[in-house]
Structure formats: C-alpha cells, structure tokens
Amino acid sequence: MMKQRELFGSRFAVIAAMAGSAVGLGNIWRFPYVLGQYGGAAFILVYVVAGVLLALPIFYAESIIGRRSRSDTFGAMNKFAPGTPWRWAGLITIVSPLLILCYYSVVGGWSVEYLFKSLSFSFTDIPAEKIPALFNTFITSAWQPVVSHTVFMAMVAFIVLGGVKSGIEKFSKLAMPALLFLLLVIVGYSLTLPGSFKGVEYLLKPDFSKLTADGISAAMGQAFFSLSLGVGTILTYSSYVKKEENLMVSGVGTAVSDLMFALIAAFAVMPAVFAAGLEPGSGPGLVFETLPYIFNRMGTGLPVMTTFLSAIFFLAILAAALTSAISMLEVGVAFLTDEWKMNRRKATLLLAFLCWLVGILCSLSFGPLAHVKLLGYTFFNFLDHLCSDWLMPLGGLIFTLFVGWKMSRADVRDEFTNGGTVNRRLFGVVYFLMRYLAPVGIAVVFLSNLLL
Ligand code: PHE
C-alpha cells in the first residue's frame, strides 16, 4: 500500500509553516535597509501593490499546483504534463532553493555565532566602539564562520528529519509566536531610546522623489524573495495542505504576516540605529555590526541588559532563519522521497551535506577565498545574484505560465474554489492575474535586471 502523505494538522499550522518560510533574513535585515533607500513609506506602498498584483498570484499558482498534485515540483509538472519539458522546468525549482540554502546557511551561522557571543558576554567586556569591527574579523576568519555554518545546517537537517508534522509544523508553530514576542521586546526598547523618533519618521514619511524605476523593481524583487516565491517552497508546502483549507486565506495570511514581520523588524532596527546616530544604509552589516553596538552603548551601562537584549535579538534572527531554511531543504527532500523513493533520513542528510559543502565555499568567500571570482562576483554574491535576480523570477514565470496556460481552467478553478464552494467570485480576477498580469510583471523584473 502507498504510504499516506503527511499533511499539516490545522489552519494555524499551515500559516505558521508558510509564514515561517516567508519571514526570514529577508525581513529582518534586508527590508529595513531597502525601505530606507527607496523612500520609506513610498516604498511600502509599491511593495504592497507589487505584493497583491504580482506576488500573490504566483503564490496561488504554486498553491494550486502543489495541493492538486500532492507532489514535489518535478512530480507535479510530470503529473499534469507527462513527458513534456515542463518537468525539467520543475527540476530547476528544486535546485534553486538548495542553492539558496548554501549561502543562507552561512548567514544563519552568523546569527548562531552572535547569539553565542551575546551569551558569553563578548559584547560587554569591550568598549562599544570596538564592536562593529568584530563582525569583519569574524566573517573573514577561515574556520569560525564555517563552524557556525555547520551548526546551523545541522539544526536545519535535524528539524527536517522530524518530518512534516513533528518536524516542520511543530517547530514553526513554536518559533513564529516566539519570534513575534522577541521582536516586540526589541521594538519596545528601541522606541524608548532618546532620538529614536527620527528612525520612525524615516520609515513612515513617504519620499516619492526617491522612488525611482530602480526602486519599483527593488520592491518586486523584495516581494519575491520575502514571500519565498518561484523556488517551489510554497508549492511543496501546499502539497501538505488539506483539501478543506481555503488557499485564498492561507495566501493572504502568509502575505500579511510577512509584511507585518517586516515592519516590526524595521521598527526594531531603525529607531535604534537613528538614536545611536548611525548610518542606516549599511546592508548585511547593519544588524550584526550596529545592533550589539547599540545595546552596549545604550544598554544603560548594564552588562546584563546588553547581554539580554542582544541575545534576544540574535535568537529572533536565528528562529526566523531556521523556519526559512527548513522550507528550502524540504523542496529537495520531497523530490527525493517522492520520485526516487529514498527514505526521508537519507534524503535529508544527503542534501544537507551537499549544501553544507557548497556553503563552505560561500563562507570562505569572505576571507581566504575573497579573491576567487565568478563573473566578477565572489562565490557568495554569485549565488545570491543568480538565485534572487534570475532563478526566482524564472520559477515564478514557470509556475504562472503552467497554471495559466497549461493546466485546464476547470482544474485550476476546482482547486482554488474547493470544488466551487469558496472564493467563487474572486476566481475570475485571480485567474486573470495568474494568466496575464503576473507573467508580464515578471518579464519586467527580468528586463530591469538585465538593463539596470
Ligand atoms: N523568504 C525568506 C526570507 O525572507 C527567504 C526564502 C527564499 C525562503 C526562498 C525560502 C525560499 O528570508
């Protein structure tokens, strides 16, 4: 008898897992910084419009394919378009999340190290001014970041080994509320600092003059990355969603949570950055270099306070990174267990090991391998550029074209409306967006990546 596919237990579980995948480093370090660069509230506006018109349709396309096929991305394509090149397109979306995992795990490892540093009082024993430099010393060293990357990847593998229900679902249900709580503690602290108001203004005051064409394409890119789209994670998680769940609701629930977490993270980080009179636009270094500095300088001189705040902050980043990373690994595990009938244990360990190996190169590309370049990029930056600028939009295009033009309209409608019982009126609009608007929007992202 065929083994029953594991399914998520409840609506909360579905949203926790999907929002867990969506909410990650993209929200905590990337969003606040990009937001400031492209005109604050003006950027949020474009981001929300891009989210509704472009990202949600892709989300629904993935959800429909995933739940209808109850299969991994390759198997899904093969089921609905047997023997056609579509399955090779499906295969791309299995490789891309694994590629993301390779370098994502390196940054996840940084949060492990920074949590450890916080707890071992490393940020209290030295003068605040010396803290930002610690980051560079750490990431350029040969072995330390590799060890942290190893610890992070081991945690990811451990959770995925537990399976859909007792691994992914259980962890996400625990981590997401905890993440919300931890970030709110930091927001509370950040907003009470003298001078923090400037940071709030920076986030809320729309500056339309900064909203260039570049900003619009950045908003689309951010929506893609932040909602984990085009890499089969939403498709794979949807294949574990029960028939009775409303796909419309899980999509909106995930997108709203993702935006909410991005805003909360922005309000945790930016007011503190302004209060300390620091530069808000310094990218990945922002949270690692400046936050512990702020906690030390402004932690009212109490080592316990500094330790407590920075431990909470890096634990939050770690939790967010873990729930995203497990969704990347699960795509490949689903493929190996569905298609090659490998057992979960073997599939998980094999893929985690391969990503770990490539991740080592990414980690070393900040230090001993910094001079090795691929098309002018270091290893880490090459993978990031390849995945976020090319493979993610490509995957989004594949999924929307598949649902809009390859699957029958009746099948798509049946899946989205749960056999005509829900979302009947909205279907027409969503179908139009999936069939026409989303592919055109993605083409625009491609062109802008090519030309800008
Ligand atoms: N959405 C995640 C984040 O914001 C990243 C991610 C990309 C997760 C692709 C899964 C797949 O950090």
Side-chain angles (χ1 to χ4, degrees):
M1 202 183 88
M2 230 183 77
K3 225 176 116 201
Q4 272 272 318
R5 196 174 184 80
E6 270 194 287
L7 299 180
F8 289 128
S10 63
R11 173 168 296 174
F12 175 63
V14 173
I15 296 188
M18 289 195 175
S21 167
V23 177
L25 300 165
N27 305 57
I28 301 187
W29 69 254
R30 201 165 182 277
F31 184 77
Y33 145 78
V34 184
L35 177 65
Q37 226 176 16
Y38 294 110
F43 180 84
I44 301 185
L45 218 74
V46 182
Y47 181 72
V48 171
V49 174
V52 173
L53 294 183
L54 194 66
L56 267 181
I58 302 171
F59 195 103
Y60 290 137
E62 289 201 35
S63 304
I64 290 165
I65 306 173
R67 192 172 69 172
R68 188 129 195 115
S69 67
R70 290 263 179 257
S71 191
D72 62 286
T73 65
F74 175 89
M77 300 278 175
N78 210 17
K79 207 172 244 175
F80 299 133
T84 66
W86 279 105
R87 58 205 161 119
W88 305 119
L91 205 58
I92 295 178
T93 64
I94 290 168
V95 177
S96 41
L98 293 172
L99 288 178
I100 299 179
L101 180 59
C102 302
Y103 68 88
Y104 203 84
S105 168
V106 172
V107 183
W110 296 349
S111 67
V112 172
E113 171 69 17
Y114 267 58
L115 175 61
F116 178 74
K117 272 192 174 29
S118 311
L119 292 173
S120 59
F121 291 93
S122 306
F123 300 132
T124 57
D125 293 346
I126 55 170
E129 296 65 43
K130 293 215 167 131
I131 292 179
L134 282 184
F135 182 64
N136 201 42
T137 314
F138 164 61
I139 63 167
T140 52
S141 93
W143 63 271
Q144 257 182 320
V146 173
V147 173
S148 321
H149 155 63
T150 309
V151 173
F152 184 83
M153 193 65 94
M155 291 196 241
V156 174
F158 179 76
I159 301 167
V160 173
L161 272 180
V164 175
K165 253 184 118 85
S166 32
I168 296 172
E169 170 174 331
K170 210 164 158 190
F171 182 73
S172 306
K173 281 198 323 204
L174 192 88
M176 292 314 283
L179 176 63
L180 182 62
F181 174 75
L182 297 173
L183 283 178
L184 286 177
V185 172
I186 304 292
V187 172
Y189 167 76
S190 197
L191 290 179
T192 56
L193 294 172
S196 62
F197 182 71
K198 279 209 216 86
V200 175
E201 202 180 76
Y202 177 81
L203 294 173
L204 290 184
K205 211 162 127 195
D207 180 355
F208 285 97
S209 68
K210 284 202 194 148
L211 196 63
T212 50
D214 199 14
I216 296 174
S217 117
M220 294 196 210
Q222 174 68 20
F224 256 92
F225 189 80
S226 196
L227 276 173
S228 316
L229 294 175
V231 288
T233 52
I234 299 302
L235 191 158
T236 307
Y237 272 13
S238 299
S239 75
Y240 306 132
V241 171
K242 286 185 186 153
K243 277 283 170 230
E244 308 77 60
E245 294 294 343
N246 185 336
L247 293 182
M248 176 90 190
V249 172
S250 47
V252 172
T254 306
V256 169
S257 321
D258 188 55
L259 179 65
M260 188 185 78
F261 271 99
L263 291 173
I264 294 175
F267 279 98
V269 174
M270 281 306 159
V273 168
F274 274 81
L278 295 168
E279 186 34 56
S282 52
L286 185 70
V287 294
F288 293 98
E289 286 168 6
T290 55
L291 265 286
Y293 165 81
I294 293 165
F295 295 142
N296 177 312
R297 236 193 65 191
M298 318 200 93
T300 51
L302 290 173
V304 178
M305 184 80 167
T306 308
T307 303
F308 177 69
L309 287 170
S310 53
I312 286 190
F313 185 69
F314 290 109
L315 188 63
I317 298 196
L318 176 60
L322 275 174
T323 51
S324 297
I326 55 180
S327 74
M328 297 171 197
L329 186 57
E330 181 62 23
V331 175
V333 170
F335 169 71
L336 290 183
T337 49
D338 283 353
E339 305 301 319
W340 292 9
K341 306 294 170 226
M342 208 182 252
N343 70 38
R344 174 169 275 273
R345 194 182 155 76
K346 233 196 216 158
T348 307
L349 294 178
L350 175 72
L351 294 177
F353 176 71
L354 292 177
C355 294
W356 173 76
L357 277 184
V358 180
I360 292 180
L361 294 178
C362 297
S363 180
L364 295 178
S365 76
F366 289 95
L369 295 185
H371 59 281
V372 181
K373 300 269 164 75
L374 283 172
L375 303 175
Y377 294 98
T378 63
F379 219 79
F380 184 103
N381 290 340
F382 175 77
L383 278 189
D384 183 26
H385 173 66
L386 175 71
C387 295
S388 13
D389 296 342
W390 296 103
L391 293 179
M392 294 187 99
L394 178 66
L397 191 64
I398 292 170
F399 294 136
T400 48
L401 290 180
F402 193 77
V403 168
W405 299 89
K406 183 71 201 168
M407 284 174 77
S408 84
R409 190 178 191 276
D411 277 355
V412 174
R413 185 176 187 279
D414 185 61
E415 196 58 44
F416 188 73
T417 60
N418 290 359
T421 56
V422 292
N423 312 323
R424 275 195 313 245
R425 291 235 204 99
L426 274 168
F427 176 71
V429 181
V430 172
Y431 193 66
F432 172 82
L433 293 176
M434 289 190 296
R435 194 168 148 98
Y436 299 104
L437 201 88
V440 171
I442 298 166
V444 173
V445 175
F446 265 131
L447 280 181
S448 66
N449 285 344
L450 212 77
L451 303 176
L452 294 175

